[in-house]
Each structure stands twice: as structure tokens, then as C-alpha cells.
Amino acid sequence: MAYRHSPLQLSFESFGAGLSTPLSPDNEWVQLAEVMPWKALDDAYQLEFTKNLGRAAKPFRMLYGAGLIQQRMGLTDRGVVAAIRDTPALQYFIGLSEYKAVAPFSYSSLAHFRKRIADISELITNIINDTVRAKIEALVPFKVDTVITDATAVPVKIKYPQDTVLLNLEAMAIDMAHQLGVPNPRMYKREAKHCWTAFSRHPKQQRGGFHKQVKAQLQYVRRDLRYINEFLDLGATLPEKQAIRLGVIRILFDQQWYMYTHKTHRVENRIVSLQQPYIRPIQRGKANAKVEFGAKIDCSLSEGVIDIERLDFNAFSEGKDFKETLDHYFDLHGHYPDEVLADTLYRNRENLKLCKDLGIRICGPKLGRHPKHVNTEQRRKDTDAENRRGAIERRFAFMKGSLGLDLVNTRTAESLAVKIDEAIVLSNVLALMRVFAIPIFVLAESEGVTYQIRYKFTTKVEDMVA
């Protein structure tokens, strides 16, 4: 597939010339379109196209802009295409030269696009974050060398895992029996379904019934796997998709059988979803959800820009990535920060010694037992540091409440990583827009009378960076 640069877009005044009502310069999507470094992003996207033959791909701005709209408005793939079709400002944001009341692309293009940019998603995020950081530094006259670090989980929309749910292997066994020309094996599907339904209606009324039900369902699955193994030995084959699913079922059966025989609920790399076997349970200990199923991200916040330091689907201790976070800050600014704001999971002995050797002040209470007599001044400093550390918690709340990271509805690991990066990008760009909307207060005195002038300023973003 080939890729060609999209033509330059007209100004928003020219874009709205064919409409009865022109676009407003105060529209959020018009302002966001002026902030994004589309040229640099388009050049990075060309790295995915090594050949100049074939059908031309859709422009990067069109599909990536649609992804940002989807994250901001909380829409599905079909819904965001319909919204772009009906909204002139959204068509301007994705780079169209004029408004047309037709869908600019098919909704299936978004899934293919997320898969294509998965390898360069981190590069795209870094380009946008560096642009936002440069414009904030050019706008804000003072500089604060403080970094805030914290971790959070990004839950994925899956069915809550239950150990007693039956794995349906009947379709695989019947297809393989048809290939070999042998009678269909007896699968006991109805009996297993009846056994599970009777238990699920009144699970709490059956004492000791849970362990017994797990054993029954595992025996049904073991019988089905035995039939499939016999068919494979006779020369039957499975399509690639079903072969991958069968491998996941085998691993899942081994995990469940281990937990049943050892009477435990813990196993390494536990699979909780057949459709998304990469998802792992993340122990969070929160009041509303002690366990979340999805990815865990370790982030840092400095100068209003949030960066992802680590993304993993397995649970990890964020304190082990503290040195990498400081090195990332050094790579961006050429020096280490003066102050680090972090919670107790980061303030272990190893990290405290590292900060002491580098001359970095890490705020928070000391390790060990709380002293009987606390210095009032030290308590005030610790409280102030904890309040300032809340900035990254508020950013997490914004990304989960307004940018769709509270429950991500996607299937593949690549799509989930792209959606997380898009939410990070939107969060930083919107933070930049809030900086441009800072109210300015001016006091002027003339002939003994003091005047107070209050206004908000807007300026062309390109003029902020020399």
C-alpha cells in the first residue's frame, strides 16, 4: 500500500465559506487543529510505507484525528464516523478542505489504522508531547524543575471472569469429525449447561457447591479436549484462528485444574478472558474495585505534560522504574529535577539513596514507625507536598472521566496501547489550550483613578516558538 501527502488545508474562514454559518475561531476542534504538529506526524507515518505501489492509504490526519475525536467524545467506531459526517468542525479537524455531508471513510478503517500505527504510536506521542512542552515553556515565563510520578490501571471492558464458566469446544470437535468422516462425539453439552444453570441461579444457597461445580465443568472440558486430541492424532486440522484459541484453552484448563487441585485462587499469568488472553488481573486495593482487569501504566508529570514511563499487562512494582523516570527527565531537560513528588511505593531505601546521591529532594514522610512528636513545620511541608502530588491524580481522573480510560472497549493489545497513547496526547494538548486561556488581570491608574482590566488572550500558536 502506498501513502501520499494530503493537500494543504484552507483556513477555517475559507472552510466555512460554503456554509450558511462559518466556523468559529473559538471552537475547540478549530483550536486543537492549530496546535497539532500535523506535518511532523505525517512524516513519521510514512515510515510504515516502504513501497510506493498499490492503493493509496487514507491521510494520517484524517484517521488519527478521528481517533482523537473518538476518545474525547466517547464514541464507537461507527458513531465517530457519523459524528464527523454531520459536524463541519470535526471535518475541519481531520483535514478536509470543505464540508461534505458524506462519511469520509468506512468505520472499519479505524481498526486497521490502529493496528498499523501500533509500532510507531510511541514515536507519535513523543512528537506531540515535545511540541506541547516547547510551547508551554515559551509561554510560561518561569520554570519549575519538579516531577510527579504515579501509576494507575486502565481497565478493559470484559465479562467478569468466573471459574465455573464452561469452555465450549463442541464446534471444534464437530468440524474435525466432519473432516475425518467419523460420527460426532458425545459432548454432554446440554448436561453441562443444565448443571451450570442450576448452580448459577442460587450459588449462595449451595454450601460447598462452588468447588464441586468447578470440578464438574473441568471434567466436561477434559473430555472434550481428549476428543480433540484424538482427532488431531488422526490427521484433522484446525484453521489458524481456532488453533490459537485451542492453545489458549489448553493453558486455561491447566491453570484452572492447578487451582482446583491445590485449593487456591492464585496462579502465575492467569488468563481471565478467552477473547483477550493478554489481560491480567491487577490488584489495586481501591474502595470501588480491589481488582481491575487491563493494563497498568506508570506515568510522570512535569511542566503540565504527562508521559508514560512503562505500560505492561502484568502487575509490577512502580518503585522499580524510579531510576528510569529520572533518566527520562534528564534526557528531556539536560539535568535532573530539583524535587520529586511520589507516594510511599516509590520512597523505598534504594530510591531515597539514589535521590540523595543525585541531590534531588523527594518529599514525603520518613520510612518506619511514625514518631510520637511530629514537628509542626515538617508536617506542614509533607501535607503541602501531598497536595501538590494530587495534580497527577487529577490528571488520571480527567483521562478516565473525560477521555475514555475508565473502561476501554477494544479487543487487541495493540489497539489498547494506541487508545492509551491517544488519551495521553489529548490530555496534554487540552492542558496547553487551558494555558492559552489563562485570564489576565491588569491594573492601570490614570488621573488618580485605578482601573482593573480582566481579559483572556489568544494568540497564534506557531508564533509562540521561535
Side-chain angles (χ1 to χ4, degrees):
M1 180 174 286
Y3 182 73
R4 300 177 180 86
H5 284 287
S6 58
L8 296 177
Q9 189 187 36
L10 301 175
S11 63
F12 71 92
E13 294 92 348
S14 302
F15 181 88
L19 303 174
S20 58
T21 303
L23 294 179
S24 170
D26 296 330
N27 185 279
E28 181 183 47
W29 296 108
V30 173
Q31 295 178 354
L32 288 177
E34 301 298 327
V35 173
M36 298 291 292
W38 296 117
K39 180 62 171 62
L41 296 175
D42 202 65
D43 294 339
Y45 185 51
Q46 279 195 319
L47 299 176
E48 291 296 305
F49 300 89
T50 57
K51 297 182 180 180
N52 236 353
L53 304 176
R55 182 181 178 183
K58 296 291 184 183
F60 173 83
R61 177 173 177 176
M62 177 181 293
L63 297 179
Y64 192 77
L68 297 181
I69 296 170
Q70 184 181 25
Q71 290 295 118
R72 180 60 168 154
M73 303 180 69
L75 301 173
T76 62
D77 289 352
R78 293 175 184 264
V80 70
V81 174
I84 293 174
R85 179 197 61 199
D86 301 335
T87 311
L90 299 184
Q91 292 195 13
Y92 174 81
F93 180 72
I94 65 173
L96 299 184
S97 58
E98 59 179 351
Y99 172 72
K100 295 181 180 179
V102 294
F105 55 88
S106 173
Y107 71 93
S108 60
S109 300
L110 292 174
H112 295 294
F113 177 75
R114 288 191 291 265
K115 183 178 180 180
R116 182 179 295 130
I117 68 168
D119 298 335
I120 61 172
S121 181
E122 183 178 357
L123 174 61
I124 293 172
T125 304
N126 290 336
I127 292 174
I128 300 176
N129 288 351
D130 291 342
T131 303
V132 172
R133 187 177 289 107
K135 292 175 179 177
I136 290 180
E137 291 177 354
L139 179 64
V140 179
F142 56 89
K143 184 176 178 62
V144 180
D145 292 325
T146 301
V147 60
I148 310 174
T149 180
D150 199 2
T152 188
V154 181
V156 180
K157 185 178 181 180
I158 64 171
K159 183 179 180 181
Y160 192 83
Q162 307 236 357
D163 296 339
T164 51
V165 174
L166 175 67
L167 303 180
N168 186 10
L169 297 171
E170 182 182 19
M172 293 185 188
I174 292 178
D175 291 342
M176 299 170 76
H178 289 170
Q179 290 181 16
L180 299 173
V182 297
N184 296 338
R186 180 173 294 180
M187 306 295 288
Y188 293 94
K189 178 182 178 180
R190 293 183 180 179
E191 181 179 340
K193 179 70 173 178
H194 175 74
C195 181
W196 156 247
T197 303
F199 168 79
S200 62
R201 288 178 177 175
H202 309 285
K204 296 183 180 180
Q205 297 181 6
Q206 304 181 27
R207 293 185 178 180
F210 183 84
H211 200 65
K212 182 179 179 181
Q213 182 63 216
V214 171
K215 178 182 178 181
Q217 298 297 328
L218 286 175
Q219 288 175 340
Y220 288 124
V221 175
R222 183 173 59 183
R223 180 187 293 111
D224 296 345
L225 287 175
R226 186 177 71 246
Y227 289 143
I228 292 178
N229 292 334
E230 293 175 356
F231 290 150
L232 290 175
D233 294 338
L234 293 176
T237 59
L238 285 173
E240 181 182 0
K241 188 175 181 180
Q242 285 191 342
I244 296 175
R245 175 63 62 85
L246 179 60
V248 175
I249 291 176
R250 292 185 190 276
I251 297 174
L252 180 58
F253 173 79
D254 293 338
Q255 292 180 351
Q256 293 292 328
W257 186 260
Y258 173 84
M259 290 189 292
Y260 167 75
T261 55
H262 291 77
K263 295 183 179 180
T264 181
H265 294 286
R266 295 179 180 271
V267 68
E268 187 178 358
N269 295 326
R270 182 176 179 179
I271 297 176
V272 295
S273 174
L274 283 178
Q275 289 77 18
Q276 297 159 289
Y278 59 89
I279 293 177
R280 299 289 181 267
I282 305 294
Q283 294 284 345
R284 298 296 297 158
K286 303 296 182 180
N288 57 343
K290 295 183 178 180
V291 180
E292 293 179 329
F293 304 93
K296 185 176 181 180
I297 55 175
D298 184 16
C299 300
S300 64
L301 178 66
S302 62
E303 298 179 345
V305 179
I306 188 169
D307 292 291
I308 296 180
E309 304 297 339
R310 181 179 177 183
L311 187 152
D312 203 334
F313 292 99
N314 292 313
F316 61 88
S317 176
E318 49 265 35
K320 297 181 179 179
D321 301 324
F322 186 74
K323 185 177 184 302
E324 287 73 12
T325 301
L326 297 180
D327 292 340
H328 183 210
Y329 187 93
F330 184 88
D331 295 338
L332 291 175
H333 302 86
H335 60 85
Y336 288 106
D338 296 335
E339 182 184 35
V340 175
L341 303 176
D343 60 12
T344 55
L345 293 178
Y346 294 90
R347 295 197 300 268
N348 53 40
R349 298 186 185 278
E350 181 181 357
N351 293 337
L352 291 177
K353 183 178 182 302
L354 176 63
C355 290
K356 183 177 180 181
D357 296 339
L358 296 176
I360 301 174
R361 182 174 67 258
I362 181 169
C363 299
K366 295 182 178 180
L367 298 178
R369 183 182 300 175
H370 294 289
K372 293 183 179 179
H373 305 286
V374 182
N375 187 358
T376 305
E377 181 66 19
Q378 184 63 36
R379 177 183 293 178
R380 186 190 63 80
K381 291 181 179 179
D382 293 343
T383 302
D384 177 69
E386 186 65 22
N387 292 338
R388 290 186 291 128
R389 193 189 70 83
I392 195 169
E393 298 285 359
R394 291 188 291 272
R395 186 65 69 88
F396 286 156
F398 174 71
M399 290 191 296
K400 292 186 176 183
S402 302
L403 301 181
L405 290 191
D406 57 335
L407 195 64
V408 182
N409 187 9
T410 185
R411 279 295 181 91
T412 64
E414 294 82 5
S415 295
L416 178 59
V418 171
K419 283 183 173 291
I420 293 175
D421 288 339
E422 289 175 347
I424 292 290
V425 165
L426 261 180
S427 174
N428 292 330
V429 174
L430 292 175
L432 174 63
M433 299 307 300
R434 288 195 295 271
V435 172
F436 280 116
I438 295 176
I440 305 298
F441 296 91
V442 177
L443 293 177
E445 185 176 353
S446 176
E447 297 180 357
V449 180
T450 302
Y451 298 92
Q452 182 180 13
I453 305 173
R454 175 180 179 180
Y455 65 99
K456 290 185 179 182
F457 74 92
T458 56
T459 183
K460 196 171 182 59
V461 179
E462 287 78 1
D463 298 337
M464 301 306 302
V465 181

